[in-house]
Amino acid sequence: MKILKQMMLIGLVTFAGEVCGVLLPLPVPASVYGMLILFLCLYTDVIKLSQIEDAADFLVSVMPVMFVAPCVSLMDSIGGVRGSILFIVLICLLTTVTTISVTGVVAQFVIRRGKMKTGDSRKDKEQEEEVVA
């Protein structure tokens, strides 16, 4: 019963995202609106994490199964993309390298910024070691 209530709450937020997708004239998918609404509700404690945690864990655990149907459909239509397969592979490689690079740069920036805020930078430690020596 607990998971059913949690699924209903997630479903309600998803429905609110669908309503926003219909009412707002922006080219944003309704699922993105739903995720933004859920994020804002969690951030502002309108919805507590404990209110949806079990259902969310279940949905994440079955997520790989949700990719089976699109993969089978893609394999079924391989004839239509056979002429573009090299182009598709190149795009996949390029976007993967770009994603990894951007993620690395952003992670380094966040780590450095966190160290600067706490005053725990390497330069400070090196200077302290020089003074002690």
Side-chain angles (χ1 to χ4, degrees):
M1 194 65 164
K2 180 180 178 183
I3 290 185
L4 182 61
K5 289 180 183 176
Q6 292 181 4
M7 290 291 255
M8 288 176 57
L9 187 57
I10 291 173
L12 183 65
V13 171
T14 303
F15 179 73
E18 292 290 332
V19 170
C20 288
V22 170
L23 296 179
L24 298 175
L26 301 173
V28 178
S31 59
V32 173
Y33 286 125
M35 287 190 303
L36 287 173
I37 292 169
L38 183 60
F39 171 75
L40 291 173
C41 287
L42 287 168
Y43 186 76
T44 58
D45 284 334
V46 172
I47 297 175
K48 305 259 188 280
L49 182 59
S50 61
Q51 291 177 300
I52 61 166
E53 189 169 20
D54 295 332
D57 287 342
F58 169 74
L59 290 172
V60 169
S61 71
V62 298
M63 187 171 48
V65 176
M66 302 302 168
F67 288 102
V68 171
C71 289
V72 169
S73 178
L74 181 63
M75 289 188 312
D76 190 37
S77 63
I78 194 72
V81 295
R82 188 165 296 186
S84 306
I85 207 79
L86 180 63
F87 185 65
I88 292 170
V89 168
L90 287 174
I91 289 174
C92 288
L93 289 174
L94 180 66
T95 55
T96 300
V97 169
T98 303
T99 302
I100 290 171
S101 301
V102 170
T103 302
V105 169
V106 169
Q108 288 177 348
F109 173 76
V110 169
I111 290 169
R112 287 183 185 140
R113 187 171 179 194
K115 286 182 180 179
M116 290 171 70
K117 283 187 176 182
T118 61
D120 188 27
S121 67
R122 288 184 182 159
K123 290 181 182 177
D124 290 342
K125 286 186 177 183
E126 290 172 3
Q127 289 173 353
E128 289 174 12
E129 290 174 1
E130 288 176 7
V131 171
V132 172

mmCIF file of all heavy atoms in Angstrom, residues 29-74:
data_model
loop_
_atom_site.group_PDB
_atom_site.id
_atom_site.type_symbol
_atom_site.label_atom_id
_atom_site.label_comp_id
_atom_site.label_asym_id
_atom_site.label_seq_id
_atom_site.Cartn_x
_atom_site.Cartn_y
_atom_site.Cartn_z
ATOM 1 N N PRO A 29 9.344 19.394 -23.442
ATOM 2 C CA PRO A 29 8.537 18.186 -23.228
ATOM 3 C C PRO A 29 7.882 18.182 -21.842
ATOM 4 O O PRO A 29 8.436 18.707 -20.873
ATOM 5 C CB PRO A 29 9.555 17.049 -23.333
ATOM 6 C CG PRO A 29 10.725 17.627 -24.036
ATOM 7 C CD PRO A 29 10.736 19.089 -23.718
ATOM 8 N N ALA A 30 6.735 17.578 -21.762
ATOM 9 C CA ALA A 30 5.993 17.525 -20.504
ATOM 10 C C ALA A 30 6.772 16.784 -19.426
ATOM 11 O O ALA A 30 6.685 17.121 -18.243
ATOM 12 C CB ALA A 30 4.636 16.865 -20.727
ATOM 13 N N SER A 31 7.571 15.805 -19.810
ATOM 14 C CA SER A 31 8.349 15.064 -18.819
ATOM 15 C C SER A 31 9.378 15.963 -18.142
ATOM 16 O O SER A 31 9.681 15.789 -16.958
ATOM 17 C CB SER A 31 9.040 13.872 -19.470
ATOM 18 O OG SER A 31 9.894 14.303 -20.515
ATOM 19 N N VAL A 32 9.906 16.938 -18.874
ATOM 20 C CA VAL A 32 10.862 17.881 -18.278
ATOM 21 C C VAL A 32 10.144 18.771 -17.263
ATOM 22 O O VAL A 32 10.665 19.032 -16.177
ATOM 23 C CB VAL A 32 11.557 18.723 -19.367
ATOM 24 C CG1 VAL A 32 12.428 19.812 -18.760
ATOM 25 C CG2 VAL A 32 12.380 17.828 -20.283
ATOM 26 N N TYR A 33 8.947 19.207 -17.605
ATOM 27 C CA TYR A 33 8.157 19.975 -16.636
ATOM 28 C C TYR A 33 7.906 19.144 -15.379
ATOM 29 O O TYR A 33 8.012 19.640 -14.261
ATOM 30 C CB TYR A 33 6.809 20.399 -17.232
ATOM 31 C CG TYR A 33 6.879 21.518 -18.235
ATOM 32 C CD1 TYR A 33 6.342 21.377 -19.506
ATOM 33 C CD2 TYR A 33 7.474 22.738 -17.908
ATOM 34 C CE1 TYR A 33 6.395 22.402 -20.427
ATOM 35 C CE2 TYR A 33 7.532 23.762 -18.828
ATOM 36 C CZ TYR A 33 6.992 23.592 -20.086
ATOM 37 O OH TYR A 33 7.052 24.615 -20.983
ATOM 38 N N GLY A 34 7.573 17.876 -15.566
ATOM 39 C CA GLY A 34 7.319 17.011 -14.429
ATOM 40 C C GLY A 34 8.550 16.865 -13.541
ATOM 41 O O GLY A 34 8.457 16.919 -12.311
ATOM 42 N N MET A 35 9.725 16.697 -14.166
ATOM 43 C CA MET A 35 10.952 16.585 -13.373
ATOM 44 C C MET A 35 11.261 17.883 -12.640
ATOM 45 O O MET A 35 11.703 17.863 -11.485
ATOM 46 C CB MET A 35 12.129 16.186 -14.266
ATOM 47 C CG MET A 35 12.064 14.749 -14.712
ATOM 48 S SD MET A 35 13.552 14.139 -15.517
ATOM 49 C CE MET A 35 13.767 15.272 -16.865
ATOM 50 N N LEU A 36 11.025 19.009 -13.297
ATOM 51 C CA LEU A 36 11.251 20.301 -12.632
ATOM 52 C C LEU A 36 10.293 20.494 -11.459
ATOM 53 O O LEU A 36 10.704 20.970 -10.393
ATOM 54 C CB LEU A 36 11.105 21.450 -13.633
ATOM 55 C CG LEU A 36 12.245 21.614 -14.630
ATOM 56 C CD1 LEU A 36 11.899 22.674 -15.665
ATOM 57 C CD2 LEU A 36 13.529 21.975 -13.920
ATOM 58 N N ILE A 37 9.050 20.118 -11.648
ATOM 59 C CA ILE A 37 8.072 20.241 -10.560
ATOM 60 C C ILE A 37 8.479 19.341 -9.398
ATOM 61 O O ILE A 37 8.450 19.761 -8.234
ATOM 62 C CB ILE A 37 6.653 19.897 -11.063
ATOM 63 C CG1 ILE A 37 6.166 20.963 -12.041
ATOM 64 C CG2 ILE A 37 5.681 19.746 -9.901
ATOM 65 C CD1 ILE A 37 4.905 20.581 -12.799
ATOM 66 N N LEU A 38 8.873 18.104 -9.698
ATOM 67 C CA LEU A 38 9.297 17.192 -8.640
ATOM 68 C C LEU A 38 10.531 17.720 -7.928
ATOM 69 O O LEU A 38 10.618 17.686 -6.698
ATOM 70 C CB LEU A 38 9.561 15.795 -9.211
ATOM 71 C CG LEU A 38 9.947 14.718 -8.202
ATOM 72 C CD1 LEU A 38 8.839 14.538 -7.175
ATOM 73 C CD2 LEU A 38 10.254 13.414 -8.904
ATOM 74 N N PHE A 39 11.496 18.237 -8.686
ATOM 75 C CA PHE A 39 12.692 18.805 -8.076
ATOM 76 C C PHE A 39 12.341 19.959 -7.144
ATOM 77 O O PHE A 39 12.820 20.027 -6.009
ATOM 78 C CB PHE A 39 13.673 19.282 -9.147
ATOM 79 C CG PHE A 39 14.819 20.069 -8.590
ATOM 80 C CD1 PHE A 39 15.847 19.435 -7.910
ATOM 81 C CD2 PHE A 39 14.869 21.447 -8.734
ATOM 82 C CE1 PHE A 39 16.906 20.166 -7.392
ATOM 83 C CE2 PHE A 39 15.913 22.178 -8.220
ATOM 84 C CZ PHE A 39 16.941 21.542 -7.539
ATOM 85 N N LEU A 40 11.511 20.871 -7.621
ATOM 86 C CA LEU A 40 11.127 22.020 -6.791
ATOM 87 C C LEU A 40 10.366 21.581 -5.545
ATOM 88 O O LEU A 40 10.577 22.123 -4.460
ATOM 89 C CB LEU A 40 10.301 23.017 -7.605
ATOM 90 C CG LEU A 40 11.071 23.757 -8.697
ATOM 91 C CD1 LEU A 40 10.119 24.583 -9.552
ATOM 92 C CD2 LEU A 40 12.158 24.637 -8.094
ATOM 93 N N CYS A 41 9.494 20.594 -5.700
ATOM 94 C CA CYS A 41 8.751 20.092 -4.538
ATOM 95 C C CYS A 41 9.678 19.439 -3.524
ATOM 96 O O CYS A 41 9.510 19.614 -2.310
ATOM 97 C CB CYS A 41 7.681 19.106 -4.981
ATOM 98 S SG CYS A 41 6.275 19.872 -5.810
ATOM 99 N N LEU A 42 10.662 18.686 -3.998
ATOM 100 C CA LEU A 42 11.631 18.073 -3.080
ATOM 101 C C LEU A 42 12.535 19.125 -2.450
ATOM 102 O O LEU A 42 12.850 19.062 -1.266
ATOM 103 C CB LEU A 42 12.474 17.027 -3.821
ATOM 104 C CG LEU A 42 11.772 15.727 -4.168
ATOM 105 C CD1 LEU A 42 12.610 14.906 -5.132
ATOM 106 C CD2 LEU A 42 11.469 14.933 -2.916
ATOM 107 N N TYR A 43 12.951 20.099 -3.242
ATOM 108 C CA TYR A 43 13.856 21.140 -2.748
ATOM 109 C C TYR A 43 13.200 22.002 -1.674
ATOM 110 O O TYR A 43 13.831 22.393 -0.701
ATOM 111 C CB TYR A 43 14.331 22.003 -3.915
ATOM 112 C CG TYR A 43 15.377 23.018 -3.539
ATOM 113 C CD1 TYR A 43 16.694 22.627 -3.316
ATOM 114 C CD2 TYR A 43 15.060 24.364 -3.405
ATOM 115 C CE1 TYR A 43 17.663 23.552 -2.970
ATOM 116 C CE2 TYR A 43 16.015 25.285 -3.056
ATOM 117 C CZ TYR A 43 17.323 24.886 -2.841
ATOM 118 O OH TYR A 43 18.271 25.805 -2.492
ATOM 119 N N THR A 44 11.915 22.290 -1.858
ATOM 120 C CA THR A 44 11.201 23.151 -0.914
ATOM 121 C C THR A 44 10.493 22.350 0.188
ATOM 122 O O THR A 44 9.756 22.930 0.978
ATOM 123 C CB THR A 44 10.163 24.014 -1.652
ATOM 124 O OG1 THR A 44 9.247 23.153 -2.342
ATOM 125 C CG2 THR A 44 10.831 24.962 -2.636
ATOM 126 N N ASP A 45 10.696 21.063 0.215
ATOM 127 C CA ASP A 45 10.089 20.165 1.203
ATOM 128 C C ASP A 45 8.569 20.112 1.134
ATOM 129 O O ASP A 45 7.913 19.761 2.114
ATOM 130 C CB ASP A 45 10.531 20.516 2.625
ATOM 131 C CG ASP A 45 11.946 20.058 2.921
ATOM 132 O OD1 ASP A 45 12.392 19.083 2.273
ATOM 133 O OD2 ASP A 45 12.595 20.645 3.800
ATOM 134 N N VAL A 46 8.005 20.461 -0.008
ATOM 135 C CA VAL A 46 6.572 20.245 -0.208
ATOM 136 C C VAL A 46 6.327 18.738 -0.244
ATOM 137 O O VAL A 46 5.352 18.239 0.311
ATOM 138 C CB VAL A 46 6.082 20.921 -1.513
ATOM 139 C CG1 VAL A 46 4.650 20.538 -1.836
ATOM 140 C CG2 VAL A 46 6.234 22.428 -1.407
ATOM 141 N N ILE A 47 7.242 18.030 -0.895
ATOM 142 C CA ILE A 47 7.251 16.577 -0.881
ATOM 143 C C ILE A 47 8.548 16.159 -0.200
ATOM 144 O O ILE A 47 9.630 16.596 -0.578
ATOM 145 C CB ILE A 47 7.202 15.993 -2.311
ATOM 146 C CG1 ILE A 47 5.901 16.372 -3.001
ATOM 147 C CG2 ILE A 47 7.365 14.477 -2.275
ATOM 148 C CD1 ILE A 47 5.829 15.935 -4.449
ATOM 149 N N LYS A 48 8.436 15.327 0.793
ATOM 150 C CA LYS A 48 9.621 14.818 1.487
ATOM 151 C C LYS A 48 10.152 13.600 0.719
ATOM 152 O O LYS A 48 9.380 12.857 0.115
ATOM 153 C CB LYS A 48 9.267 14.403 2.913
ATOM 154 C CG LYS A 48 8.597 15.496 3.726
ATOM 155 C CD LYS A 48 9.580 16.152 4.644
ATOM 156 C CE LYS A 48 8.915 17.104 5.611
ATOM 157 N NZ LYS A 48 8.596 18.377 5.054
ATOM 158 N N LEU A 49 11.447 13.406 0.756
ATOM 159 C CA LEU A 49 12.045 12.278 0.053
ATOM 160 C C LEU A 49 11.462 10.956 0.528
ATOM 161 O O LEU A 49 11.217 10.050 -0.262
ATOM 162 C CB LEU A 49 13.570 12.284 0.236
ATOM 163 C CG LEU A 49 14.327 11.181 -0.476
ATOM 164 C CD1 LEU A 49 14.095 11.234 -1.978
ATOM 165 C CD2 LEU A 49 15.800 11.260 -0.156
ATOM 166 N N SER A 50 11.187 10.863 1.816
ATOM 167 C CA SER A 50 10.631 9.617 2.361
ATOM 168 C C SER A 50 9.240 9.314 1.791
ATOM 169 O O SER A 50 8.803 8.164 1.821
ATOM 170 C CB SER A 50 10.569 9.690 3.884
ATOM 171 O OG SER A 50 9.733 10.757 4.294
ATOM 172 N N GLN A 51 8.556 10.332 1.259
ATOM 173 C CA GLN A 51 7.222 10.132 0.712
ATOM 174 C C GLN A 51 7.256 9.443 -0.653
ATOM 175 O O GLN A 51 6.224 8.930 -1.096
ATOM 176 C CB GLN A 51 6.492 11.469 0.580
ATOM 177 C CG GLN A 51 6.133 12.092 1.910
ATOM 178 C CD GLN A 51 5.487 13.440 1.729
ATOM 179 O OE1 GLN A 51 6.094 14.353 1.167
ATOM 180 N NE2 GLN A 51 4.260 13.559 2.192
ATOM 181 N N ILE A 52 8.405 9.455 -1.344
ATOM 182 C CA ILE A 52 8.472 8.841 -2.676
ATOM 183 C C ILE A 52 9.679 7.917 -2.850
ATOM 184 O O ILE A 52 9.870 7.344 -3.916
ATOM 185 C CB ILE A 52 8.506 9.917 -3.782
ATOM 186 C CG1 ILE A 52 9.725 10.818 -3.634
ATOM 187 C CG2 ILE A 52 7.220 10.705 -3.823
ATOM 188 C CD1 ILE A 52 10.000 11.668 -4.841
ATOM 189 N N GLU A 53 10.484 7.750 -1.815
ATOM 190 C CA GLU A 53 11.767 7.057 -1.953
ATOM 191 C C GLU A 53 11.631 5.602 -2.407
ATOM 192 O O GLU A 53 12.345 5.164 -3.320
ATOM 193 C CB GLU A 53 12.530 7.123 -0.627
ATOM 194 C CG GLU A 53 13.943 6.633 -0.727
ATOM 195 C CD GLU A 53 14.743 6.954 0.514
ATOM 196 O OE1 GLU A 53 14.159 7.202 1.590
ATOM 197 O OE2 GLU A 53 15.969 6.951 0.393
ATOM 198 N N ASP A 54 10.751 4.837 -1.807
ATOM 199 C CA ASP A 54 10.621 3.424 -2.161
ATOM 200 C C ASP A 54 10.150 3.240 -3.609
ATOM 201 O O ASP A 54 10.681 2.407 -4.348
ATOM 202 C CB ASP A 54 9.659 2.707 -1.213
ATOM 203 C CG ASP A 54 10.187 2.652 0.212
ATOM 204 O OD1 ASP A 54 11.425 2.653 0.377
ATOM 205 O OD2 ASP A 54 9.369 2.622 1.150
ATOM 206 N N ALA A 55 9.175 4.030 -4.015
ATOM 207 C CA ALA A 55 8.676 3.937 -5.388
ATOM 208 C C ALA A 55 9.741 4.394 -6.381
ATOM 209 O O ALA A 55 9.913 3.788 -7.441
ATOM 210 C CB ALA A 55 7.410 4.778 -5.552
ATOM 211 N N ALA A 56 10.486 5.436 -6.038
ATOM 212 C CA ALA A 56 11.547 5.920 -6.917
ATOM 213 C C ALA A 56 12.651 4.877 -7.058
ATOM 214 O O ALA A 56 13.160 4.652 -8.163
ATOM 215 C CB ALA A 56 12.112 7.229 -6.387
ATOM 216 N N ASP A 57 13.009 4.231 -5.960
ATOM 217 C CA ASP A 57 14.009 3.166 -6.017
ATOM 218 C C ASP A 57 13.538 2.017 -6.913
ATOM 219 O O ASP A 57 14.314 1.465 -7.692
ATOM 220 C CB ASP A 57 14.330 2.640 -4.619
ATOM 221 C CG ASP A 57 15.152 3.608 -3.795
ATOM 222 O OD1 ASP A 57 15.771 4.523 -4.379
ATOM 223 O OD2 ASP A 57 15.173 3.451 -2.560
ATOM 224 N N PHE A 58 12.268 1.677 -6.796
ATOM 225 C CA PHE A 58 11.715 0.625 -7.651
ATOM 226 C C PHE A 58 11.779 1.026 -9.118
ATOM 227 O O PHE A 58 12.195 0.242 -9.977
ATOM 228 C CB PHE A 58 10.264 0.312 -7.251
ATOM 229 C CG PHE A 58 9.559 -0.571 -8.243
ATOM 230 C CD1 PHE A 58 9.862 -1.926 -8.307
ATOM 231 C CD2 PHE A 58 8.623 -0.045 -9.115
ATOM 232 C CE1 PHE A 58 9.231 -2.746 -9.230
ATOM 233 C CE2 PHE A 58 7.996 -0.857 -10.039
ATOM 234 C CZ PHE A 58 8.291 -2.206 -10.102
ATOM 235 N N LEU A 59 11.387 2.258 -9.427
ATOM 236 C CA LEU A 59 11.399 2.718 -10.819
ATOM 237 C C LEU A 59 12.813 2.737 -11.389
ATOM 238 O O LEU A 59 13.029 2.382 -12.549
ATOM 239 C CB LEU A 59 10.749 4.103 -10.920
ATOM 240 C CG LEU A 59 9.243 4.134 -10.687
ATOM 241 C CD1 LEU A 59 8.746 5.570 -10.618
ATOM 242 C CD2 LEU A 59 8.514 3.358 -11.767
ATOM 243 N N VAL A 60 13.780 3.128 -10.579
ATOM 244 C CA VAL A 60 15.172 3.123 -11.039
ATOM 245 C C VAL A 60 15.652 1.691 -11.270
ATOM 246 O O VAL A 60 16.385 1.417 -12.212
ATOM 247 C CB VAL A 60 16.079 3.872 -10.040
ATOM 248 C CG1 VAL A 60 17.540 3.657 -10.350
ATOM 249 C CG2 VAL A 60 15.758 5.361 -10.049
ATOM 250 N N SER A 61 15.213 0.770 -10.423
ATOM 251 C CA SER A 61 15.660 -0.627 -10.574
ATOM 252 C C SER A 61 15.095 -1.280 -11.831
ATOM 253 O O SER A 61 15.723 -2.180 -12.388
ATOM 254 C CB SER A 61 15.294 -1.443 -9.339
ATOM 255 O OG SER A 61 13.904 -1.649 -9.266
ATOM 256 N N VAL A 62 13.925 -0.862 -12.299
ATOM 257 C CA VAL A 62 13.345 -1.455 -13.502
ATOM 258 C C VAL A 62 13.622 -0.623 -14.756
ATOM 259 O O VAL A 62 13.181 -0.991 -15.843
ATOM 260 C CB VAL A 62 11.819 -1.687 -13.357
ATOM 261 C CG1 VAL A 62 11.521 -2.650 -12.238
ATOM 262 C CG2 VAL A 62 11.053 -0.393 -13.209
ATOM 263 N N MET A 63 14.365 0.459 -14.603
ATOM 264 C CA MET A 63 14.633 1.327 -15.742
ATOM 265 C C MET A 63 15.320 0.604 -16.906
ATOM 266 O O MET A 63 14.953 0.839 -18.061
ATOM 267 C CB MET A 63 15.455 2.542 -15.308
ATOM 268 C CG MET A 63 15.624 3.567 -16.406
ATOM 269 S SD MET A 63 16.353 5.116 -15.882
ATOM 270 C CE MET A 63 17.754 4.632 -14.947
ATOM 271 N N PRO A 64 16.308 -0.278 -16.673
ATOM 272 C CA PRO A 64 16.919 -0.964 -17.825
ATOM 273 C C PRO A 64 15.916 -1.764 -18.657
ATOM 274 O O PRO A 64 16.061 -1.856 -19.878
ATOM 275 C CB PRO A 64 17.952 -1.896 -17.182
ATOM 276 C CG PRO A 64 18.278 -1.268 -15.880
ATOM 277 C CD PRO A 64 17.009 -0.608 -15.426
ATOM 278 N N VAL A 65 14.893 -2.299 -18.030
ATOM 279 C CA VAL A 65 13.883 -3.055 -18.759
ATOM 280 C C VAL A 65 13.129 -2.152 -19.731
ATOM 281 O O VAL A 65 12.712 -2.587 -20.808
ATOM 282 C CB VAL A 65 12.906 -3.740 -17.771
ATOM 283 C CG1 VAL A 65 11.786 -4.455 -18.489
ATOM 284 C CG2 VAL A 65 13.659 -4.684 -16.860
ATOM 285 N N MET A 66 12.999 -0.878 -19.380
ATOM 286 C CA MET A 66 12.275 0.065 -20.231
ATOM 287 C C MET A 66 13.003 0.340 -21.548
ATOM 288 O O MET A 66 12.407 0.837 -22.494
ATOM 289 C CB MET A 66 12.045 1.385 -19.487
ATOM 290 C CG MET A 66 11.279 1.239 -18.206
ATOM 291 S SD MET A 66 9.686 0.489 -18.495
ATOM 292 C CE MET A 66 9.187 0.132 -16.844
ATOM 293 N N PHE A 67 14.313 0.022 -21.603
ATOM 294 C CA PHE A 67 15.073 0.246 -22.827
ATOM 295 C C PHE A 67 15.009 -0.934 -23.783
ATOM 296 O O PHE A 67 15.482 -0.832 -24.914
ATOM 297 C CB PHE A 67 16.534 0.568 -22.488
ATOM 298 C CG PHE A 67 16.727 1.927 -21.899
ATOM 299 C CD1 PHE A 67 16.917 2.077 -20.532
ATOM 300 C CD2 PHE A 67 16.706 3.056 -22.691
ATOM 301 C CE1 PHE A 67 17.080 3.333 -19.982
ATOM 302 C CE2 PHE A 67 16.871 4.312 -22.153
ATOM 303 C CZ PHE A 67 17.060 4.445 -20.800
ATOM 304 N N VAL A 68 14.438 -2.050 -23.363
ATOM 305 C CA VAL A 68 14.389 -3.236 -24.214
ATOM 306 C C VAL A 68 13.534 -2.984 -25.451
ATOM 307 O O VAL A 68 13.964 -3.258 -26.584
ATOM 308 C CB VAL A 68 13.876 -4.466 -23.427
ATOM 309 C CG1 VAL A 68 13.619 -5.639 -24.355
ATOM 310 C CG2 VAL A 68 14.863 -4.844 -22.342
ATOM 311 N N ALA A 69 12.343 -2.457 -25.286
ATOM 312 C CA ALA A 69 11.444 -2.234 -26.423
ATOM 313 C C ALA A 69 12.040 -1.268 -27.457
ATOM 314 O O ALA A 69 12.020 -1.577 -28.663
ATOM 315 C CB ALA A 69 10.085 -1.740 -25.941
ATOM 316 N N PRO A 70 12.594 -0.121 -27.053
ATOM 317 C CA PRO A 70 13.204 0.746 -28.068
ATOM 318 C C PRO A 70 14.386 0.085 -28.779
ATOM 319 O O PRO A 70 14.569 0.282 -29.977
ATOM 320 C CB PRO A 70 13.664 1.967 -27.283
ATOM 321 C CG PRO A 70 12.834 1.990 -26.064
ATOM 322 C CD PRO A 70 12.537 0.566 -25.753
ATOM 323 N N CYS A 71 15.171 -0.706 -28.059
ATOM 324 C CA CYS A 71 16.313 -1.387 -28.687
ATOM 325 C C CYS A 71 15.847 -2.417 -29.700
ATOM 326 O O CYS A 71 16.410 -2.525 -30.792
ATOM 327 C CB CYS A 71 17.196 -2.032 -27.630
ATOM 328 S SG CYS A 71 18.109 -0.840 -26.645
ATOM 329 N N VAL A 72 14.823 -3.165 -29.347
ATOM 330 C CA VAL A 72 14.281 -4.152 -30.280
ATOM 331 C C VAL A 72 13.702 -3.444 -31.501
ATOM 332 O O VAL A 72 13.900 -3.880 -32.647
ATOM 333 C CB VAL A 72 13.216 -5.031 -29.590
ATOM 334 C CG1 VAL A 72 12.458 -5.881 -30.594
ATOM 335 C CG2 VAL A 72 13.861 -5.894 -28.528
ATOM 336 N N SER A 73 13.021 -2.348 -31.284
ATOM 337 C CA SER A 73 12.451 -1.587 -32.389
ATOM 338 C C SER A 73 13.551 -1.044 -33.296
ATOM 339 O O SER A 73 13.415 -1.038 -34.517
ATOM 340 C CB SER A 73 11.603 -0.449 -31.842
ATOM 341 O OG SER A 73 11.087 0.323 -32.886
ATOM 342 N N LEU A 74 14.642 -0.591 -32.698
ATOM 343 C CA LEU A 74 15.766 -0.080 -33.481
ATOM 344 C C LEU A 74 16.390 -1.201 -34.314
ATOM 345 O O LEU A 74 16.719 -1.008 -35.487
ATOM 346 C CB LEU A 74 16.814 0.545 -32.564
ATOM 347 C CG LEU A 74 18.035 1.148 -33.241
ATOM 348 C CD1 LEU A 74 17.621 2.302 -34.146
ATOM 349 C CD2 LEU A 74 19.031 1.624 -32.213
#
